[in-house]
Amino acid sequence: MAAAAALLRFRLATSTSLFASQPQCSRVAAQRAAVAVTRPQVRFYAKAAKKSKDKGKEKEKDSPPAKQTKRGISTDKLIPASQRIVSSEEYKKAEGKMQTVLEWFRKEVAALETRATGRVTPALLSPVRVKVADASDSRGVRLEEIATVGVKEGTTLLVTVFEEHTLKSVEQAIYEAKIPGITPQRLDSRTFKIPIPKPTVETRNALYTNATRLAEDARVQMRKHHQALLKKENINKHSPDFTTYQGLLDKLLADLDKILAHLKKTTG
């Protein structure tokens, strides 16, 4: 009986301790859960792969150029100095005046060349300028403006003035033109003839001498226009753009020399 009573007491004590330990276990579990909630969570991510240098260079090549800022200057809009000069208004005006002088010389030489080859045409009298009252040009008017010029039998020029009082002025203008072999002869109050002899060696040399005189006059006129251009543009020999301006004069003078050389070849 005593052993049975002792066994019963042992069982009661064990069950009581178990019931007492259950609340303590619950409190420990609750504390662990609270700590897990309050502890910050740390996440780990994979690192981005590094781009190779070669790929970066290719991207720079393929990428379009950056847009031009307002303060920058676009090279596409820049004009070379030579093109800017030749397109200026003053340059074009001077070039036109110099070209006019060259064309005048070309026509004068063409008339002299015709004379040197023995062909008789009204163009032989193209250098003649007649001084009349109220003339707009100080050198006078062209002969064809106050008279008609014809050819007779291929060897003689016939000049007929429109008004009788201008006959003397026309005759004087022909002498002043100093055309070799040209001597007017009066036929009546309005007409005179000019026999044209066949050109001789002396005549051809005289024609070439006349052409050289005209060439020098043309050179002087071209240089005047060129100097006026340099003065307007404020250009001197030490200016960086002087070569471009000088090139214009050199080119036209070279063309003039070619015309004169051709006449020399024609006249022998």
Side-chain angles (χ1 to χ4, degrees):
M1 293 294 290
L7 181 61
L8 178 61
R9 285 194 298 268
F10 176 77
R11 290 180 177 176
L12 290 174
T14 304
S15 60
T16 304
S17 63
L18 289 174
F19 285 110
S21 62
Q22 286 181 356
Q24 186 177 359
C25 294
S26 299
R27 286 195 299 270
V28 173
Q31 289 177 359
R32 291 181 178 178
V35 171
V37 172
T38 57
R39 182 180 297 175
Q41 296 181 356
V42 180
R43 297 183 180 181
F44 298 92
Y45 298 92
K47 294 183 179 180
K50 293 184 179 180
K51 296 181 180 179
S52 63
K53 295 182 179 180
D54 295 338
K55 290 184 179 180
K57 291 181 180 180
E58 292 179 358
K59 185 176 181 181
E60 291 178 359
K61 292 181 180 180
D62 297 338
S63 60
K67 293 184 179 179
Q68 185 71 31
T69 60
K70 293 183 178 179
R71 294 183 180 180
I73 301 175
S74 176
T75 56
D76 295 338
K77 296 182 180 180
L78 295 179
I79 302 175
S82 58
Q83 294 183 12
R84 174 177 53 80
I85 292 172
V86 299
S87 61
S88 65
E89 184 177 356
E90 293 297 336
Y91 185 95
K92 289 181 178 179
K93 286 182 180 180
E95 184 180 16
K97 292 178 181 179
M98 297 168 72
Q99 285 284 0
T100 300
V101 175
L102 180 64
E103 291 303 318
W104 167 81
F105 177 72
R106 194 190 305 275
K107 291 180 181 179
E108 297 295 329
V109 169
L112 295 176
E113 185 177 358
T114 300
R115 178 72 179 85
T117 56
R119 297 193 303 270
V120 179
T121 66
L124 294 175
L125 300 180
S126 58
V128 177
R129 295 294 183 272
V130 184
K131 295 181 179 179
V132 295
D134 300 332
S136 58
D137 192 343
S138 59
R139 296 180 301 172
V141 299
R142 295 182 178 274
L143 180 60
E144 56 267 23
E145 295 181 19
I146 60 174
T148 59
V149 182
V151 180
K152 181 180 180 182
E153 297 178 357
T155 58
T156 304
L157 292 174
L158 291 177
V159 180
T160 303
V161 298
F162 300 147
E163 300 179 3
E164 293 183 6
H165 69 276
T166 60
L167 182 65
K168 187 175 181 179
S169 299
V170 171
E171 185 178 8
Q172 182 179 356
I174 293 175
Y175 281 114
E176 291 178 351
K178 297 180 181 181
I179 304 174
I182 300 296
T183 304
Q185 301 174 3
R186 289 196 182 186
L187 296 179
D188 53 42
S189 59
R190 292 181 55 194
T191 308
F192 54 82
K193 66 178 181 178
I194 305 175
I196 306 298
K198 292 183 179 181
T200 60
V201 175
E202 291 77 8
T203 301
R204 291 177 179 176
N205 291 337
L207 291 172
Y208 181 75
T209 301
N210 189 27
T212 56
R213 179 177 59 83
L214 295 176
E216 187 58 31
D217 293 341
R219 292 190 187 98
V220 171
Q221 292 298 323
M222 286 184 181
R223 291 192 180 99
K224 284 183 178 180
H225 294 310
H226 185 255
Q227 288 298 325
L229 173 62
L230 295 180
K231 186 175 181 180
K232 288 182 179 180
E233 298 293 341
N234 195 21
I235 300 295
N236 54 51
K237 292 183 178 180
H238 303 288
S239 300
D241 297 332
F242 178 77
T243 305
T244 303
Y245 288 93
Q246 186 64 30
L248 172 63
L249 179 62
D250 294 342
K251 177 181 178 301
L252 294 177
L253 290 179
D255 293 341
L256 186 145
D257 292 338
K258 289 180 181 179
I259 297 172
L260 190 61
H262 178 71
L263 178 64
K264 184 177 181 180
K265 183 178 180 180
T266 302
T267 57

